[in-house]
Amino acid sequence: MYGFGRDGAAAEPFDSRWGPPLVLRVDANPSWVGSFAAGGLGGVTGVSATPSPNGLCVVADGLAYLVDVRDPGRGAIIAHDQLTQVTALADPPLLLLTRFIDLVAIGADGIQWRTRRLCVDDLCIRSATSAAIVCTGDNLGGDAEIRVDPATGLQIGGSTLPSGWPDD
């Protein structure tokens, strides 16, 4: 049994002060049970495979934990918070974590890239292919399309932040 706190540490006693933890059983070698502290600031909860054969992404109330299923005692890496969407991309193999202003891509070796702030609010992935991750977001003029390169996380087209808007 492992308890993962909001910092990713696998420790006891375990505290999930922002809501009920996400509890799951992982059938690996060896099998184990994990309790993941709730994020408290997001609506997404679930478990996803990552491009790594031993990687697991656990999202507890918007807080994304990356765990090596073979060695949960090492703790988890906190990949992102306040998640609103989780999207898998086959080519290149990525797990995309969306917050209301930016993206994080999980690859075979963990976090592959993070975008800068892409919009003022309401970022949402509409489609994801090897050519582009197409999102919409509010940039103070209604929903606007934003395109991101899946290989680098750099914005390759579409709407940009209004002049003078902070980048984070």
Side-chain angles (χ1 to χ4, degrees):
M1 175 76 174
Y2 297 91
F4 296 89
R6 289 178 46 85
D7 61 356
E12 294 295 333
F14 171 72
D15 183 21
S16 183
R17 71 181 67 175
W18 297 106
L22 175 62
V23 179
L24 65 110
R25 177 186 166 98
V26 177
D27 288 324
N29 188 11
S31 293
W32 53 275
V33 174
S35 295
F36 296 82
L41 296 171
V44 176
T45 296
V47 179
S48 299
T50 71
S52 167
N54 301 311
L56 189 64
C57 181
V58 178
V59 182
D61 194 24
L63 186 61
Y65 298 82
L66 295 180
V67 181
D68 183 334
V69 297
R70 299 168 304 166
D71 192 7
R74 281 192 312 166
I77 294 170
I78 302 300
H80 215 17
D81 62 359
Q82 301 179 11
L83 293 187
T84 57
Q85 188 178 17
V86 177
T87 306
L89 178 60
D91 181 28
L94 296 172
L95 185 65
L96 303 170
L97 308 177
T98 307
R99 185 167 58 167
F100 58 97
I101 60 170
D102 58 8
L103 301 170
V104 170
I106 307 303
D109 296 323
I111 297 172
Q112 186 163 321
W113 49 255
R114 295 177 186 272
T115 66
R116 62 174 188 76
R117 183 178 193 146
L118 297 170
C119 63
V120 174
D121 200 5
D122 295 330
L123 186 67
C124 180
I125 294 176
R126 298 299 181 192
S127 66
T129 67
S130 60
I133 300 164
V134 179
C135 307
T136 56
D138 182 2
N139 272 334
L140 302 180
D143 286 341
E145 185 177 279
I146 301 161
R147 292 189 323 278
V148 175
D149 182 347
T152 64
L154 297 174
Q155 185 172 347
I156 55 174
S159 178
T160 59
L161 285 169
S163 178
W165 199 266
D167 194 32
D168 55 3

mmCIF file with all atom_site columns, all heavy atoms in Angstrom, residues 63-74:
data_model
loop_
_atom_site.group_PDB
_atom_site.id
_atom_site.type_symbol
_atom_site.label_atom_id
_atom_site.label_alt_id
_atom_site.label_comp_id
_atom_site.label_asym_id
_atom_site.label_entity_id
_atom_site.label_seq_id
_atom_site.pdbx_PDB_ins_code
_atom_site.Cartn_x
_atom_site.Cartn_y
_atom_site.Cartn_z
_atom_site.occupancy
_atom_site.B_iso_or_equiv
_atom_site.pdbx_formal_charge
_atom_site.auth_seq_id
_atom_site.auth_comp_id
_atom_site.auth_asym_id
_atom_site.auth_atom_id
_atom_site.pdbx_PDB_model_num
ATOM 1  N N   . LEU A 1 63 ? -5.054 16.750 -10.465 1.00 0.00 ? 63 LEU A N   1
ATOM 2  C CA  . LEU A 1 63 ? -3.611 16.677 -10.200 1.00 0.00 ? 63 LEU A CA  1
ATOM 3  C C   . LEU A 1 63 ? -3.057 15.409 -10.847 1.00 0.00 ? 63 LEU A C   1
ATOM 4  O O   . LEU A 1 63 ? -3.503 14.310 -10.520 1.00 0.00 ? 63 LEU A O   1
ATOM 5  C CB  . LEU A 1 63 ? -3.342 16.668 -8.691  1.00 0.00 ? 63 LEU A CB  1
ATOM 6  C CG  . LEU A 1 63 ? -1.888 16.729 -8.241  1.00 0.00 ? 63 LEU A CG  1
ATOM 7  C CD1 . LEU A 1 63 ? -1.206 18.017 -8.715  1.00 0.00 ? 63 LEU A CD1 1
ATOM 8  C CD2 . LEU A 1 63 ? -1.805 16.618 -6.724  1.00 0.00 ? 63 LEU A CD2 1
ATOM 9  N N   . ALA A 1 64 ? -2.082 15.559 -11.770 1.00 0.00 ? 64 ALA A N   1
ATOM 10 C CA  . ALA A 1 64 ? -1.548 14.429 -12.536 1.00 0.00 ? 64 ALA A CA  1
ATOM 11 C C   . ALA A 1 64 ? -0.259 13.905 -11.927 1.00 0.00 ? 64 ALA A C   1
ATOM 12 O O   . ALA A 1 64 ? 0.721  14.635 -11.787 1.00 0.00 ? 64 ALA A O   1
ATOM 13 C CB  . ALA A 1 64 ? -1.294 14.844 -13.986 1.00 0.00 ? 64 ALA A CB  1
ATOM 14 N N   . TYR A 1 65 ? -0.280 12.618 -11.571 1.00 0.00 ? 65 TYR A N   1
ATOM 15 C CA  . TYR A 1 65 ? 0.871  11.911 -11.015 1.00 0.00 ? 65 TYR A CA  1
ATOM 16 C C   . TYR A 1 65 ? 1.412  10.954 -12.072 1.00 0.00 ? 65 TYR A C   1
ATOM 17 O O   . TYR A 1 65 ? 0.629  10.221 -12.689 1.00 0.00 ? 65 TYR A O   1
ATOM 18 C CB  . TYR A 1 65 ? 0.451  11.047 -9.828  1.00 0.00 ? 65 TYR A CB  1
ATOM 19 C CG  . TYR A 1 65 ? -0.127 11.758 -8.644  1.00 0.00 ? 65 TYR A CG  1
ATOM 20 C CD1 . TYR A 1 65 ? -1.461 12.134 -8.609  1.00 0.00 ? 65 TYR A CD1 1
ATOM 21 C CD2 . TYR A 1 65 ? 0.657  12.010 -7.529  1.00 0.00 ? 65 TYR A CD2 1
ATOM 22 C CE1 . TYR A 1 65 ? -2.000 12.752 -7.492  1.00 0.00 ? 65 TYR A CE1 1
ATOM 23 C CE2 . TYR A 1 65 ? 0.124  12.624 -6.402  1.00 0.00 ? 65 TYR A CE2 1
ATOM 24 C CZ  . TYR A 1 65 ? -1.207 12.995 -6.396  1.00 0.00 ? 65 TYR A CZ  1
ATOM 25 O OH  . TYR A 1 65 ? -1.738 13.598 -5.287  1.00 0.00 ? 65 TYR A OH  1
ATOM 26 N N   . LEU A 1 66 ? 2.731  10.905 -12.267 1.00 0.00 ? 66 LEU A N   1
ATOM 27 C CA  . LEU A 1 66 ? 3.365  9.898  -13.113 1.00 0.00 ? 66 LEU A CA  1
ATOM 28 C C   . LEU A 1 66 ? 4.062  8.901  -12.202 1.00 0.00 ? 66 LEU A C   1
ATOM 29 O O   . LEU A 1 66 ? 4.898  9.290  -11.377 1.00 0.00 ? 66 LEU A O   1
ATOM 30 C CB  . LEU A 1 66 ? 4.398  10.526 -14.049 1.00 0.00 ? 66 LEU A CB  1
ATOM 31 C CG  . LEU A 1 66 ? 3.864  11.487 -15.095 1.00 0.00 ? 66 LEU A CG  1
ATOM 32 C CD1 . LEU A 1 66 ? 5.014  12.013 -15.948 1.00 0.00 ? 66 LEU A CD1 1
ATOM 33 C CD2 . LEU A 1 66 ? 2.815  10.828 -15.965 1.00 0.00 ? 66 LEU A CD2 1
ATOM 34 N N   . VAL A 1 67 ? 3.730  7.623  -12.353 1.00 0.00 ? 67 VAL A N   1
ATOM 35 C CA  . VAL A 1 67 ? 4.241  6.580  -11.473 1.00 0.00 ? 67 VAL A CA  1
ATOM 36 C C   . VAL A 1 67 ? 4.843  5.459  -12.313 1.00 0.00 ? 67 VAL A C   1
ATOM 37 O O   . VAL A 1 67 ? 4.279  5.063  -13.328 1.00 0.00 ? 67 VAL A O   1
ATOM 38 C CB  . VAL A 1 67 ? 3.103  5.997  -10.601 1.00 0.00 ? 67 VAL A CB  1
ATOM 39 C CG1 . VAL A 1 67 ? 3.618  4.927  -9.662  1.00 0.00 ? 67 VAL A CG1 1
ATOM 40 C CG2 . VAL A 1 67 ? 2.396  7.082  -9.835  1.00 0.00 ? 67 VAL A CG2 1
ATOM 41 N N   . ASP A 1 68 ? 5.985  4.937  -11.868 1.00 0.00 ? 68 ASP A N   1
ATOM 42 C CA  . ASP A 1 68 ? 6.567  3.727  -12.447 1.00 0.00 ? 68 ASP A CA  1
ATOM 43 C C   . ASP A 1 68 ? 5.899  2.553  -11.740 1.00 0.00 ? 68 ASP A C   1
ATOM 44 O O   . ASP A 1 68 ? 6.081  2.378  -10.529 1.00 0.00 ? 68 ASP A O   1
ATOM 45 C CB  . ASP A 1 68 ? 8.075  3.699  -12.229 1.00 0.00 ? 68 ASP A CB  1
ATOM 46 C CG  . ASP A 1 68 ? 8.765  2.498  -12.864 1.00 0.00 ? 68 ASP A CG  1
ATOM 47 O OD1 . ASP A 1 68 ? 8.109  1.448  -13.055 1.00 0.00 ? 68 ASP A OD1 1
ATOM 48 O OD2 . ASP A 1 68 ? 9.962  2.604  -13.148 1.00 0.00 ? 68 ASP A OD2 1
ATOM 49 N N   . VAL A 1 69 ? 5.122  1.753  -12.465 1.00 0.00 ? 69 VAL A N   1
ATOM 50 C CA  . VAL A 1 69 ? 4.343  0.682  -11.836 1.00 0.00 ? 69 VAL A CA  1
ATOM 51 C C   . VAL A 1 69 ? 5.232  -0.385 -11.203 1.00 0.00 ? 69 VAL A C   1
ATOM 52 O O   . VAL A 1 69 ? 4.797  -1.099 -10.315 1.00 0.00 ? 69 VAL A O   1
ATOM 53 C CB  . VAL A 1 69 ? 3.345  0.027  -12.821 1.00 0.00 ? 69 VAL A CB  1
ATOM 54 C CG1 . VAL A 1 69 ? 2.322  1.039  -13.288 1.00 0.00 ? 69 VAL A CG1 1
ATOM 55 C CG2 . VAL A 1 69 ? 4.045  -0.632 -13.985 1.00 0.00 ? 69 VAL A CG2 1
ATOM 56 N N   . ARG A 1 70 ? 6.493  -0.483 -11.637 1.00 0.00 ? 70 ARG A N   1
ATOM 57 C CA  . ARG A 1 70 ? 7.413  -1.470 -11.063 1.00 0.00 ? 70 ARG A CA  1
ATOM 58 C C   . ARG A 1 70 ? 8.037  -1.012 -9.756  1.00 0.00 ? 70 ARG A C   1
ATOM 59 O O   . ARG A 1 70 ? 8.536  -1.832 -8.989  1.00 0.00 ? 70 ARG A O   1
ATOM 60 C CB  . ARG A 1 70 ? 8.539  -1.800 -12.050 1.00 0.00 ? 70 ARG A CB  1
ATOM 61 C CG  . ARG A 1 70 ? 8.076  -2.402 -13.367 1.00 0.00 ? 70 ARG A CG  1
ATOM 62 C CD  . ARG A 1 70 ? 9.205  -2.420 -14.351 1.00 0.00 ? 70 ARG A CD  1
ATOM 63 N NE  . ARG A 1 70 ? 9.706  -1.032 -14.481 1.00 0.00 ? 70 ARG A NE  1
ATOM 64 C CZ  . ARG A 1 70 ? 10.841 -0.688 -15.049 1.00 0.00 ? 70 ARG A CZ  1
ATOM 65 N NH1 . ARG A 1 70 ? 11.632 -1.610 -15.532 1.00 0.00 ? 70 ARG A NH1 1
ATOM 66 N NH2 . ARG A 1 70 ? 11.206 0.569  -15.132 1.00 0.00 ? 70 ARG A NH2 1
ATOM 67 N N   . ASP A 1 71 ? 8.031  0.306  -9.500  1.00 0.00 ? 71 ASP A N   1
ATOM 68 C CA  . ASP A 1 71 ? 8.705  0.832  -8.318  1.00 0.00 ? 71 ASP A CA  1
ATOM 69 C C   . ASP A 1 71 ? 7.931  2.011  -7.722  1.00 0.00 ? 71 ASP A C   1
ATOM 70 O O   . ASP A 1 71 ? 8.418  3.153  -7.709  1.00 0.00 ? 71 ASP A O   1
ATOM 71 C CB  . ASP A 1 71 ? 10.125 1.257  -8.688  1.00 0.00 ? 71 ASP A CB  1
ATOM 72 C CG  . ASP A 1 71 ? 10.982 1.547  -7.477  1.00 0.00 ? 71 ASP A CG  1
ATOM 73 O OD1 . ASP A 1 71 ? 10.529 1.291  -6.337  1.00 0.00 ? 71 ASP A OD1 1
ATOM 74 O OD2 . ASP A 1 71 ? 12.108 2.030  -7.671  1.00 0.00 ? 71 ASP A OD2 1
ATOM 75 N N   . PRO A 1 72 ? 6.724  1.764  -7.204  1.00 0.00 ? 72 PRO A N   1
ATOM 76 C CA  . PRO A 1 72 ? 5.924  2.868  -6.671  1.00 0.00 ? 72 PRO A CA  1
ATOM 77 C C   . PRO A 1 72 ? 6.533  3.510  -5.433  1.00 0.00 ? 72 PRO A C   1
ATOM 78 O O   . PRO A 1 72 ? 6.238  4.667  -5.126  1.00 0.00 ? 72 PRO A O   1
ATOM 79 C CB  . PRO A 1 72 ? 4.580  2.205  -6.344  1.00 0.00 ? 72 PRO A CB  1
ATOM 80 C CG  . PRO A 1 72 ? 4.908  0.766  -6.148  1.00 0.00 ? 72 PRO A CG  1
ATOM 81 C CD  . PRO A 1 72 ? 6.046  0.480  -7.089  1.00 0.00 ? 72 PRO A CD  1
ATOM 82 N N   . GLY A 1 73 ? 7.405  2.802  -4.742  1.00 0.00 ? 73 GLY A N   1
ATOM 83 C CA  . GLY A 1 73 ? 8.043  3.350  -3.551  1.00 0.00 ? 73 GLY A CA  1
ATOM 84 C C   . GLY A 1 73 ? 8.922  4.556  -3.829  1.00 0.00 ? 73 GLY A C   1
ATOM 85 O O   . GLY A 1 73 ? 9.238  5.328  -2.918  1.00 0.00 ? 73 GLY A O   1
ATOM 86 N N   . ARG A 1 74 ? 9.337  4.726  -5.081  1.00 0.00 ? 74 ARG A N   1
ATOM 87 C CA  . ARG A 1 74 ? 10.135 5.906  -5.454  1.00 0.00 ? 74 ARG A CA  1
ATOM 88 C C   . ARG A 1 74 ? 9.300  7.178  -5.417  1.00 0.00 ? 74 ARG A C   1
ATOM 89 O O   . ARG A 1 74 ? 9.834  8.274  -5.486  1.00 0.00 ? 74 ARG A O   1
ATOM 90 C CB  . ARG A 1 74 ? 10.706 5.758  -6.860  1.00 0.00 ? 74 ARG A CB  1
ATOM 91 C CG  . ARG A 1 74 ? 11.912 4.881  -6.932  1.00 0.00 ? 74 ARG A CG  1
ATOM 92 C CD  . ARG A 1 74 ? 12.610 4.994  -8.249  1.00 0.00 ? 74 ARG A CD  1
ATOM 93 N NE  . ARG A 1 74 ? 11.683 4.887  -9.376  1.00 0.00 ? 74 ARG A NE  1
ATOM 94 C CZ  . ARG A 1 74 ? 11.977 5.211  -10.622 1.00 0.00 ? 74 ARG A CZ  1
ATOM 95 N NH1 . ARG A 1 74 ? 13.166 5.683  -10.909 1.00 0.00 ? 74 ARG A NH1 1
ATOM 96 N NH2 . ARG A 1 74 ? 11.096 5.050  -11.578 1.00 0.00 ? 74 ARG A NH2 1
#
